[in-house]
Amino acid sequence: MDSGIDRRPGRRTRWAIALLIVLGTIISVGVSGSIRLREQRLLEAEFSRRAQERILAVERELTTALVVMESLAAFCDSAPAVDRRHFREFTAPILARHPNIQGLGFDPRISAADRTTHEQGTQREGFDGYCITERAPDGTLVPAGDRDEYVVVHFIEPLPGNEAAIGYDIASEPMRREALGRARETGQPAATGRLTLVHETGEQFGVLICTPVRNRRVAANGQGSGEIHGYVAGVFRIGDVVEHALSRFQAIGIDVALTDESAPVDERLMHAHHADGTTNPEMPPSTDLVEASSFDMAGRRWQLTCAPTEALLATGRTWQPAAVLIGGVVVTLLLSGYLLRLTRLNGRLHREIVERVASEFALRESEQRNRTLVEHAPEAIVVLDAETGRIVDFNQHALDLFESRPEELVLLGPADMSPPRQPDGQSSERLFREWIERTLAGETPVFEWIHRDARGRDIPCEVRLVRLSSSQRQLIRGSMTDISDRKRNERRQRLMMSELDHRVKNNLASVVYLADQTCATSESLDVFRKTFTGRIKSLLRTHEALAEARWDGVRLEEVVRLTLEPYTEHGHPRVEIRGRPLRLEARASGPITMSLHELVTNAVKHGALSEPGGRLEVAWEAQKDGRVRLLWRERGGPPADAPAGSGLGLSLIEGFIKHELRGAVEFDFAPEGLTCTMYFPAEDDHDGTVTTRRSGEPARTSASSAAS
């Protein structure tokens, strides 16, 4: 069968495979190198950002030291005379805020002629045996030799531990003398090179910063001399300054070195901060990746240098470049092997295609005949594969029913075109599977089903299932008929019966309630008959108006005119009715009608309608708070007296307005006549009318239940 198929790849195929391997390898190497370069750039950018943060922090700390010296010099400049107590009070807060300052002092210039006077004056301050000293070659302090001028440590804070420094001539040491000379020449702070402090127990270097203090005292000619009469001196442990500035940062593998570029090469290192926490005083190892900044520090050129450690550099190297390279090569080899296998299978596949095309052509002719029958069927028809649960065929009516496109419908099954549950609460997927199994067993079930179209609209359908004969698959033909109209008519019929039952019950309850209320307030049977008959007729007129409007509501003006019609003819007082159009819903028309009936009955018996000169005003308006205000005002009749009981039907009116409509009622029994104001909810229809509001109202309640 395969004798005519060449299983070996041809020359063109071999060249294609070789080209694929070369290109795949080149692309893998390029992508790997690109990822490694990107990692290096990200590492450099992150290192630069963090290094700059540390450089700025150290520079700010050193700048603070200079500010402290300048403020101390300004204090000494401005004060007429600085004594030891004032100096201590001024420097104490500074030392408390800056613990990295070892000491602050004031060193006056003492001439040879004033030496004896200075020494005696200091001894009188309590420093017994005080004299100006210098350091001998063996490091001990000895009385200073004779010279023209001394710069003596006179004030120093903190004093405890520094008593031996009192009287020391700082100009006797070359490095300090050089700094004093620069300060005197420039008038600015001057720093020494690195020093080993007297009390240093570790391996830190210190630095002395001197700032000149001029004599501001006014001479006899009214001008200050402006001469330098001393220096304020600050002693700083450079290691403490740098470490305090870096303490706010996490140790992330960055070494920091502070150097004095103005010093000899072997004396430039001021302090070395190692990220691993070691106290090695040597310079951190140099790398190609560094961040440096030079700045002026009290007349000397200092430089801060940041360098990454090997640990930090290692964090920037990930496994991704190597993984990309290896993965690319592996994928290239796999694709090459796949291409080789694909070439060998190509011949066999070609023969199978030819055979399958012939068989499918015959099958297509048969399917075309069946499709013609399906397309002209009046209902929606789909063909379902029972094993996969997917639709494999359909007619145009099915597309119209589900409002789907053909390419969408073939991806769906019955559960996808149904709500999660049917009306009886059962799972749509499980229930339809039961119908499928019954159909495969030989049944032809017919049942009602809720489908859901592409817009999410539920469609009630009548479904018929029948199994189709097939040698390869289990196919089921489903016919679906939309029964939405039938279901809608059934629901409408049930609703009409329910509404009729509800209205009959409400009307009977209203009659019972009116009978109970009328009987309770009637003095005789004749009074009961007349009052009860009048109320029933008033209710009947409202029902007739609602019936003419097909129970869709009635206008308030019509209710008022129907209620007052028997009493406004044959020369009775004039009645004024006014208000904008307002439509009463069916449930609200009854309470309003009965309330107006009670008011007009009272007006005929005891109010404005009982005398020829009486007048009656009925008006209503919509208020901004979403309520309607209905006003009943009588004038020109007898004075209105508040009843002792409920003879006027007050309980009836309040029951209807408060409980039925959730409104409010106000009565004003004035000498000029009764005024009744009723409020009930309503909403503006934006078409010139107002409708009693439905939201917030109680459910339909009978008159008797409201009264109770």
Side-chain angles (χ1 to χ4, degrees):
M1 180 177 181
D2 298 332
S3 58
I5 301 177
D6 186 6
R7 296 180 179 274
R8 296 172 299 175
R11 179 177 299 178
R12 184 176 299 175
T13 303
R14 287 197 299 270
W15 278 109
I17 294 175
L19 181 60
L20 176 62
I21 294 175
V22 173
L23 289 178
T25 304
I26 293 175
I27 293 174
S28 300
V29 173
V31 174
S32 176
S34 176
I35 294 176
R36 186 174 297 279
L37 180 60
R38 177 177 175 272
E39 290 178 348
Q40 181 66 22
R41 290 177 177 175
L42 290 176
L43 176 63
E44 292 176 359
E46 182 64 15
F47 166 74
S48 178
R49 182 184 67 81
R50 296 186 178 185
Q52 285 296 329
E53 291 177 348
R54 286 156 174 74
I55 289 173
L56 291 176
V58 174
E59 289 181 354
R60 281 195 300 267
E61 198 72 21
L62 293 173
T63 302
T64 302
L66 292 178
V67 172
V68 168
M69 297 304 301
E70 292 176 354
S71 65
L72 183 58
F75 168 73
C76 294
D77 277 347
S78 61
V82 180
D83 57 19
R84 199 175 302 276
R85 181 177 62 84
H86 289 124
F87 187 82
R88 182 184 304 111
E89 292 175 351
F90 184 81
T91 57
I94 298 176
L95 293 172
R97 288 195 302 269
H98 303 283
N100 48 17
I101 300 178
Q102 287 295 104
L104 295 173
F106 173 65
D107 306 336
R109 295 173 63 189
I110 306 297
S111 64
D114 295 334
R115 175 175 179 174
T116 302
T117 303
H118 168 76
E119 291 177 343
Q120 293 174 354
T122 304
Q123 292 172 3
R124 286 194 298 271
E125 292 181 14
F127 294 91
D128 297 334
Y130 171 82
C131 67
I132 298 176
T133 61
E134 63 183 7
R135 195 173 296 277
D138 60 357
T140 60
L141 294 177
V142 297
D146 295 332
R147 43 184 170 270
D148 295 338
E149 184 180 86
Y150 308 90
V151 179
V152 182
V153 177
H154 190 53
F155 299 158
I156 186 169
E157 293 295 335
L159 182 60
N162 292 315
E163 294 88 347
I166 297 294
Y168 179 69
D169 179 13
I170 63 175
S172 63
E173 194 271 324
M175 185 177 294
R176 292 176 172 83
R177 186 165 56 249
E178 186 273 335
L180 291 173
R182 279 191 290 111
R184 182 170 58 252
E185 293 175 359
T186 62
Q188 300 295 325
T192 67
R194 71 182 192 185
L195 300 171
T196 300
L197 302 177
V198 175
H199 301 289
E200 179 60 41
T201 58
E203 297 181 347
Q204 289 196 47
F205 294 114
V207 65
L208 176 69
I209 300 178
C210 303
T211 303
V213 178
R214 299 187 181 276
N215 189 354
R216 304 298 184 185
R217 287 175 295 180
V218 179
N221 58 2
Q223 296 181 350
S225 63
E227 295 181 354
I228 296 176
H229 69 97
Y231 303 86
V232 290
V235 181
F236 300 86
R237 297 181 78 217
I238 297 302
D240 289 348
V241 174
V242 174
E243 294 300 330
H244 181 265
L246 299 179
S247 62
R248 70 195 67 177
F249 302 105
Q250 296 181 351
I252 57 169
I254 296 180
D255 294 335
V256 181
L258 176 62
T259 57
D260 183 0
E261 300 299 312
S262 303
V265 175
D266 57 344
E267 297 180 2
R268 288 183 176 179
L269 180 63
M270 305 290 287
H271 180 71
H273 168 82
H274 296 273
D276 57 5
T278 60
T279 58
N280 186 1
E282 297 181 358
M283 189 82 167
S286 61
T287 63
D288 295 335
L289 183 61
V290 296
E291 194 79 19
S293 175
S294 298
F295 56 94
D296 181 80
M297 181 60 186
R300 301 184 72 86
R301 197 66 183 170
W302 285 12
Q303 178 173 294
L304 274 168
T305 304
C306 295
T309 63
E310 284 298 325
L312 179 62
L313 295 175
T315 60
R317 306 186 191 105
T318 67
W319 51 267
Q320 293 182 2
V324 169
L325 178 60
I326 296 173
V329 173
V330 171
V331 170
T332 300
L333 295 177
L334 290 177
L335 287 176
S336 301
Y338 175 75
L339 181 60
L340 180 62
R341 178 175 178 78
L342 189 64
T343 302
R344 292 177 176 178
L345 295 177
N346 186 44
R348 181 181 301 176
L349 181 61
H350 176 71
R351 178 174 296 179
E352 292 179 355
I353 289 175
V354 171
E355 295 175 354
R356 184 167 298 178
V357 167
S359 62
E360 288 182 353
F361 181 76
L363 180 61
R364 192 178 298 114
E365 289 183 342
S366 176
E367 290 179 348
Q368 187 62 36
R369 291 191 295 270
N370 293 331
R371 175 164 294 280
T372 301
L373 297 176
V374 171
E375 289 294 339
H376 291 81
E379 65 270 12
I381 297 177
V382 298
V383 178
L384 181 70
D385 189 332
E387 294 181 357
T388 63
R390 292 289 181 262
I391 293 174
V392 297
D393 203 357
F394 47 83
N395 65 355
Q396 183 60 40
H397 292 297
L399 294 175
D400 297 339
L401 179 65
F402 296 111
E403 298 187 6
S404 299
R405 296 191 298 270
E407 61 271 17
E408 297 174 343
L409 199 57
V410 295
L411 300 176
L412 303 177
D416 302 320
M417 301 183 298
S418 306
R421 295 189 177 277
Q422 292 298 307
D424 59 359
Q426 297 191 58
S427 169
S428 296
E429 184 176 1
R430 184 184 60 80
L431 186 58
F432 203 88
R433 191 64 200 174
E434 293 179 0
W435 288 116
I436 293 295
E437 293 175 357
R438 292 176 59 178
T439 304
L440 293 176
E443 298 184 25
T444 56
V446 178
F447 54 92
E448 292 186 359
W449 190 264
I450 301 297
H451 280 294
R452 180 168 289 175
D453 61 13
R455 297 188 302 170
R457 181 173 58 94
D458 290 343
I459 309 170
C461 295
E462 184 178 79
V463 182
R464 296 178 178 84
L465 300 180
V466 61
R467 181 175 181 178
L468 300 179
S469 58
S470 176
S471 60
Q472 297 179 348
R473 295 185 293 181
Q474 294 180 333
L475 301 179
I476 295 178
R477 177 181 181 271
S479 303
M480 293 159 287
T481 302
D482 187 351
I483 58 173
S484 299
D485 292 339
R486 188 176 76 188
K487 289 294 183 181
R488 192 178 299 110
N489 292 334
E490 292 176 357
R491 286 195 301 271
R492 184 181 296 112
Q493 185 177 9
R494 289 195 299 269
L495 181 62
M496 291 176 62
M497 294 299 295
S498 176
E499 182 68 18
L500 178 61
D501 179 65
H502 178 77
R503 290 178 179 174
V504 170
K505 289 181 179 179
N506 273 1
N507 289 338
L508 292 177
S510 298
V511 172
V512 172
Y513 175 66
L514 292 176
D516 292 341
Q517 292 296 314
T518 306
C519 182
T521 59
S522 298
E523 300 175 354
S524 64
L525 182 60
D526 184 59
V527 173
F528 168 79
R529 180 182 61 80
K530 292 182 179 179
T531 304
F532 182 69
T533 301
R535 289 173 175 173
I536 293 298
K537 287 182 178 180
S538 176
L539 184 61
L540 178 60
R541 284 193 294 270
T542 302
H543 277 244
E544 289 175 350
L546 288 171
E548 292 178 0
R550 296 188 176 182
W551 290 86
D552 192 32
V554 63
R555 293 188 177 276
L556 177 59
E557 182 179 2
E558 184 176 359
V559 171
V560 174
R561 293 191 182 279
L562 289 173
T563 304
L564 300 180
E565 183 178 0
Y567 310 102
T568 57
E569 298 176 351
H570 307 295
H572 275 267
R574 182 174 64 88
V575 176
E576 180 183 358
I577 302 174
R578 55 186 173 85
R580 63 179 292 188
L582 188 146
R583 185 171 61 251
L584 297 175
E585 292 183 342
R587 73 181 72 181
S589 59
I592 298 298
T593 300
M594 297 308 301
S595 300
L596 293 175
H597 176 77
E598 292 301 318
L599 290 171
V600 73
T601 301
N602 178 74
V604 171
K605 291 181 178 180
H606 312 288
L609 298 183
S610 65
E611 294 186 1
R615 302 185 312 277
L616 174 62
E617 177 187 359
V618 182
W620 58 90
E621 62 178 355
Q623 297 183 314
K624 294 182 179 180
D625 59 358
R627 299 191 304 173
V628 169
R629 175 176 175 267
L630 177 58
L631 175 68
W632 175 283
R633 179 184 291 151
E634 300 180 20
R635 293 294 182 267
D641 298 326
S646 57
L648 289 175
L650 299 183
S651 61
L652 184 65
I653 297 175
E654 291 179 350
F656 278 135
I657 301 302
K658 289 184 178 180
H659 300 290
E660 286 280 351
L661 299 183
R662 291 194 177 177
V665 183
E666 297 176 356
F667 292 98
D668 182 14
F669 298 94
E672 59 268 18
L674 171 66
T675 299
C676 174
T677 307
M678 293 175 277
Y679 302 90
F680 49 88
E683 60 184 9
D684 198 334
D685 294 337
H686 303 290
D687 60 355
T689 63
V690 178
T691 304
T692 52
R693 185 190 306 163
R694 297 193 181 197
S695 59
E697 294 183 351
R700 295 181 177 179
T701 309
S702 64
S704 59
S705 62
S708 62

